[in-house]
């Protein structure tokens, strides 16, 4: 090998992506691209693939951002977030759940996505094992693996309304110790919720075994079957993660929050100082005002409920009759195994032949996901109705 070959090799080695960055892609993005191609060719596509509200942020949030923009420079904020926003979030727990939260334990984050990263970094060492529900939201496992931690999937089923059962958690812990368990309720992709009793039992079991509890409450507020309970009602040690993305329709503003035990506040503050300095200021100002827009968001929620009722009535008539109860969030997770062997091919065909874009289940469950598709009903109810009709006609045609 010549000197210049050796130099080239060492440059190539420097430019190689790390093994930790080798996380799986989000397959839904392939559906998004295929849908965009159809739209570019002039077809009308009804989007039920991406989990985002069609509605915008509360008017008062937008007005607050406009006022802030007009009133002077937008600088950094404190790393833990604007004190007034942290206090407002704490008040939200008193108002909605009757739970007393010290604003000092509230951390404002860049969406809940950044909250997960901060929580994992603050709580876990490389090599730690964290239980997650399967099926579940894929970035949990992918971010954990990038951090050198191991996501331990726990199978969930109709028998426990798709919540992690305490005995399954304990069994996994006995096999090899777990450091934490992460549960979302309402959940993505199943749209199911844990009852307060089931959630309380899981939190108590985790505590008794010395397993930390992380509660993804991003779909709180979007509960239809019964009221969603916060993990903070059961434990001050739980790490609770939430966001303005879903209930407040603020996905693109990238603002969320977490409530953490006292002992994690300073470590998370140091991490946020170094990783982000602070969360976008304009978004924090808008987020604080969003709490005054609850009436507007409740009207949006009534739209989701109408769509949910419509899908529950019409899809079974079309042969899509196996899905968990649509307790909350805005998802329907349908078993399509009686119609196809591979839900990715099924979703692609559905898109081409009906113009309705849905997500194949493999994104959420690498083992059984090929049997499922996820439909998001956060769009306009008229669009959801049209999608149900198109899917129904398509399935009846065979
Ligand atoms: C269960 C769940 N958690 C977290 C997130 C992340 O959302 P964000 O970063 O916008 O708060 C999502 C987004 O779809 C989600 O479905």
């Amino acid at each position: 090998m010549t000197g210049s070959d050796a130099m080239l090799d060492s440059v190539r080695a420097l430019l190689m992506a790390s093994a930790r960055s080798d996380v799986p892609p989000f397959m839904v993005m392939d559906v998004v691209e295929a849908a965009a191609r159809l739209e570019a060719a002039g077809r009308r596509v009804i989007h039920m693939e991406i989990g985002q509200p069609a509605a915008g942020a509360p008017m008062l949030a937008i007005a607050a951002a406009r006022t802030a923009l007009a009133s002077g420079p937008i600088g950094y904020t404190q790393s833990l977030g604007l004190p007034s926003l942290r206090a407002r979030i704490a008040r939200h727990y008193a108002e909605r759940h009757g739970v007393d939260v010290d604003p000092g334990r509230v951390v404002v984050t860049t969406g809940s996505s950044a909250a997960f990263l901060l929580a994992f970094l603050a709580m876990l060492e490389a090599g730690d094992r964290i239980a997650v529900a399967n099926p579940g939201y894929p970035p949990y496992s992918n971010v954990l693996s990038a951090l050198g931690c191991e996501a331990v999937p726990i199978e969930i089923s109709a028998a426990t309304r798709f919540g992690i059962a305490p005995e399954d958690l304990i069994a996994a812990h006995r096999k090899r110790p777990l450091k934490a368990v992460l549960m979302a309720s309402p959940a993505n992709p199943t749209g199911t919720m844990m009852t307060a009793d089931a959630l309380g039992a899981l939190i108590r079991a985790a505590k008794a075994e010395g397993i930390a509890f992380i509660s993804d409450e991003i779909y709180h507020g979007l509960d239809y079957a019964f009221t969603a309970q916060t993990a903070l009602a059961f434990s001050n040690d739980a790490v609770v993660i939430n966001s303005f993305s879903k209930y407040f329709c603020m996905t693109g503003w990238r603002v969320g929050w977490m409530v953490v035990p006292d002992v994690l506040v300073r470590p998370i503050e140091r991490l946020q100082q170094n990783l982000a300095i602070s969360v976008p200021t304009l978004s924090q100002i808008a987020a604080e005002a969003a709490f005054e827009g609850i009436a507007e968001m409740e009207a949006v929620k009534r739209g989701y409920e109408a769509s949910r009722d419509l899908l529950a009535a019409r899809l079974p008539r079309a042969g899509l009759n196996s899905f968990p109860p649509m307790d909350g969030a805005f998802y329907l997770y349908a078993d399509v195994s009686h119609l196809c062997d591979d839900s990715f091919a099924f979703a692609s065909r559905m898109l081409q032949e009906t113009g309705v874009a849905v997500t194949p289940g493999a994104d959420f469950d690498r083992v059984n996901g090929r049997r499922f598709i996820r439909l998001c009903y956060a769009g306009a109810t008229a669009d959801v109705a049209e999608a149900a009709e198109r899917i129904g006609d398509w399935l009846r045609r065979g």
Side-chain angles (χ1 to χ4, degrees), residues 204-215:
R204 278 192 298 278
K207 195 167 186 156
E209 298 288 328
I211 303 170
F213 196 85
I214 306 174
S215 185

Side-chain angles (χ1 to χ4, degrees), residues 103-115:
R105 292 173 51 210
V106 176
V107 182
V108 182
T109 57
T110 310
S112 71
S113 301

Side-chain angles (χ1 to χ4, degrees), residues 40-63:
R43 286 272 303 276
R44 172 167 142 70
V45 173
I46 302 177
H47 291 276
M48 300 185 85
E49 76 281 37
I50 294 267
Q52 93 170 329
M59 310 265 269
L60 287 168
I62 295 169

